Each structure stands twice: as C-alpha cells, then as structure tokens.
Amino acid sequence: MEQSAKEDYKIQSFDPETQKLLKTALKEPSSVDLEKVADVIVDQSLKDPVFSKEAGRICYTIVQAEAQQNNGSVFRRRLLTRLQQEFKVREETRAHSLQEWVNNMPMVALVHPVYDCLLRLAQPDALMNEEEVDCLVLQLHRIGDQLEKVNSQRMDDLFFLLRDGFLLQESIGSMARLLLLEMLEFRAGGWKLSSTANKYYYSELCTD
C-alpha cells in the first residue's frame, strides 16, 4: 500500500534517470544528492504549470522522509535557498515587465512547499535548535512579505506557532527566543523594524 502511494506522484514528464532519482528521494532520501533533487523540482515547476501543482506534495514527502530517516535538513535548506532566489528574480521581473511576470505564475504554486518547510521549522522540536530558528528567521526576512501577499492565512498559521513557541516553550534558548521576538515584531511592523528596534536587536545579537 505504501509503495503504491509513493508511485502515485506525477513525474512522467521527467526522463527515466530523473524519475528514478525522484522515486529514490521519496523512499531513501539519504542515498541521493538532495540538493540536486531540490533543483530539479524547482526548475521543472517553473517550466511546467501541471507539475508545479504536484511539487508541493513531493517536497513535503521528501522533507518528512529525510527528517525521519536521519533528522536531516539538506533538502529543505536547498529548497528554501532556491525558492528565495526565484522569488527575488520574480519581483525584479515584475518591476521591468508585467507581462513576463504574469507568465511566470507557476511560481505561485511553489509557495506551498515553502510554507511546508517553514511550518516544519516552527514546530517545538525545531524551535529548540538555534540553527533551525536562524534559518527560519533568515528566510522570513528575505521573502516573508512576498509569501504573505500570496497566502496570508498560512502566514497567520506560521506566526501562531512562533508566538506560542515564544510564550509557552521554556526550553527555548535565549538567542532563539530573541530571534523569535524580533521576527514577531518585524511582521507586526509591516515586515520592517523601526530604527530603535533595529538598534536594540542588533546590539543584543552582537552582545550574545
């Protein structure tokens, strides 16, 4: 039953070698180059609107499988990096060519795997890991504003988790707690910090 579910993913548009790579990543993520897998998924999603709808499911499965297999995050980090780069390019495209920007709408489908990754980073176990919190905060600084414009409800869900983590988890380290507080204030301020807040957080981070 599990095997048939894995085979249900729509990856027929890829060549046989890439199909094999993706199938292996879904079952045994540690046995393949996950950075390459992330690049393949993003590149294909940008070219193929049909596949872009499937990309979210595939990414979510690989993220979960990698975490369960070896508590890894190679795929998730590469995926977030690539998507952050693509969102930046997309905004630059919008500035000089609205028509080209509209033609690039498959990017919107990739919002879902981004949110899946960020929501995983906002779970209680991840919030206790300073490196994970730093990764989450960095991505939200870079593309949080753009993500919220596309799907504000999921951003609300994400920040409910961050707020609860900040308020309810006593086991979170002081640095992670400071990063979360800064992010809560960053979004509340319309995705920017006042000069006073910026000086405060910068001085605290440098001190720590």
Side-chain angles (χ1 to χ4, degrees), residues 95-138:
H96 69 74
S97 173
L98 183 60
Q99 185 59 50
E100 187 179 344
W101 178 77
V102 171
N103 291 341
N104 199 22
M105 285 309 286
M107 270 301 300
V108 175
L110 291 177
V111 167
H112 299 295
V114 175
Y115 270 121
D116 288 337
C117 289
L118 296 180
L119 285 163
R120 178 64 188 88
L121 288 171
Q123 297 302 313
D125 61 323
L127 292 180
M128 289 188 286
N129 183 325
E130 186 179 305
E131 187 178 357
E132 300 271 67
V133 175
D134 189 53
C135 175
L136 170 65
V137 168
L138 179 62

Side-chain angles (χ1 to χ4, degrees), residues 16 67 84 125 139 149 183:
Q84 180 263 319
D125 61 323
Q139 297 303 327
K149 289 174 183 175
M183 181 47 59

